[in-house]
Amino acid sequence: MRPTYVGMDRSFPTTRAAGLARLAAFTPRMGHAYVAGRNTDYGPDAETETAGLSPYLRRRLVLEQEVVDAAGTAHGPAAEKFVQEVFWRGYFKGHLETRPALWTGYQRLAAEGRAALAANSGLRLAYERAVEGRTGIDGFDDWARELTSTNWLHNHTRMWFASIWIFTLRLPWALGADHFMRHLIDGDPASNTLSWRWVAGLHTRGKAYAARAENIRRYTDGRYDPAGLNEDPVALEEPDSPSARPLPAADAPPVGDVALLLHLDDLNPESLPLGRARVVRVGGLLAHAEGAVDRVVQADRDAMTDVLARAAAHFDCPAGPADAGWADSLPIVTAWAPVGPSAAALPPALRVRRSWDDAVWPRATRGYFQVKAAIPAILQAVASPEAAWR
Ligand SMILES: Cc1cc2nc3c(=O)[nH]c(=O)nc-3n(C[C@H](O)[C@H](O)[C@H](O)COP(=O)(O)OP(=O)(O)OC[C@H]3O[C@@H](n4cnc5c(N)ncnc54)[C@H](O)[C@@H]3O)c2cc1C
């Protein structure tokens, strides 16, 4: 039966089955409809013209390659815009992986920001007004409440929110990124940190993103008409950003029995490049974003429950939390964990990397354009049998 798309349901059950259902329902809209409608935010109760796949892609309950293949098969060249947007995710992942100091720098600024909130009552009041939606700025206040009540925001709204936060409310960008990471159900170290830096004018140096009232009126379908925005922002500055390091090499999986360690950055063990390794134990490691709210923690737990059940069936072996001794003395193999909480929490293990990441990440050391220009070559390099549309 052909699935029908009935609007953005923000319950986001974090299982692979739910992700695949969302993918199937949205696939018919990945072509011209996406190009025409993707920039408009009609509000949390209305249909949106974007996929709502980010909670699934972030955890790899659904793979970028599956989404891109579905788009291409259904729409051919008309899927180009959608495919390019999916590649923003890989671009940001590769950029942070080759510049990990941007993540530790953000973490330091966020910690300093939180300490400043405790010490400076003026800053704290301004921060509380912003996160609770009491600034008086039309649109912004609703988005603040929408974020904490639905744990998701439209991309354009994230851009306006971040711009107003930094340039109109003059709050520290890292505190805004930290607030997003705690509340977003798709909170991702790379996409979130680097998007906030992009809005601030730190990613593309000197080029800040301006939230303009006219643009907000137009792309909220006239729902909001904010006054008093700083529409001529001056990009933030910082000392030279770190230069890119080469991508660290991945490991080859050993031949024979292994224990597979799963984490929240890759919950698709069925498709991992495990070579001739034989998985005889599966363990799950839960490392949430710092300060993640209950709903985000629960979404992570549900995703882990889902993957452990799938892995037990797929590998026909025991699967459970990676408690002490879970792996016996077997070699531990894991999917490459990009910069973030999982990578920080992983024990020593052999790390295998997907050909998708190997194709995208080395091209992500500078601007997005290099990745965008290489999309046809990347898709050739990772071609799967069902990708006859290429
Ligand atoms: C300030 C700010 C913070 C953000 N924080 C996050 C975050 O923590 N996690 C996150 O996944 N995305 C983040 N994004 C990117 C983007 O807003 C979301 O990926 C997108 O809104 C997800 O909705 P969708 O699945 O309907 O997207 P669609 O437009 O349907 O796109 C499909 C998929 O492509 C990827 N994608 C699309 N646009 C972008 C983009 N600009 N950057 C990176 N990936 C993209 C996502 O995986 C998305 O699910 C942020 C953007 C901004 C401006």
Side-chain angles (χ1 to χ4, degrees), residues 34 50-54 57 85-86 152 155 158 186-188 192 195:
Y34 181 79
T50 70
L53 280 167
S54 48
L57 289 167
E85 291 303 307
V86 174
W152 194 87
N155 179 59
R158 296 183 198 207
D186 62 17
D188 181 90
N192 190 58
S195 294

Side-chain angles (χ1 to χ4, degrees), residues 58-76:
R58 188 264 172 269
R59 298 176 176 84
R60 283 202 158 152
L61 284 166
V62 176
L63 300 173
E64 289 103 314
Q65 186 153 5
E66 293 177 301
V67 172
V68 164
D69 282 351
T73 303
H75 300 282

Side-chain angles (χ1 to χ4, degrees), residues 94-176:
H95 198 86
L96 201 62
E97 202 59 15
T98 50
R99 287 184 168 81
L102 293 177
W103 172 246
T104 45
Y106 150 71
Q107 287 182 306
R108 183 177 42 75
L109 287 178
E112 285 170 10
R114 288 193 296 268
L117 288 179
N120 178 337
S121 59
L123 177 66
R124 189 167 65 250
L125 283 175
Y127 173 86
E128 284 169 355
R129 274 198 296 271
V131 299
E132 290 167 13
R134 293 186 287 106
T135 65
I137 299 174
D138 196 27
F140 184 93
D141 287 349
D142 280 357
W143 303 327
R145 287 189 290 267
E146 188 181 330
L147 172 63
T148 52
S149 61
T150 75
N151 304 93
W152 194 87
L153 289 175
H154 186 281
N155 179 59
H156 217 162
T157 301
R158 296 183 198 207
M159 291 160 63
W160 297 320
F161 186 105
S163 179
I164 293 169
W165 178 283
I166 298 167
F167 298 113
T168 299
L169 299 174
R170 302 204 178 276
L171 288 163
W173 75 265
L175 276 182

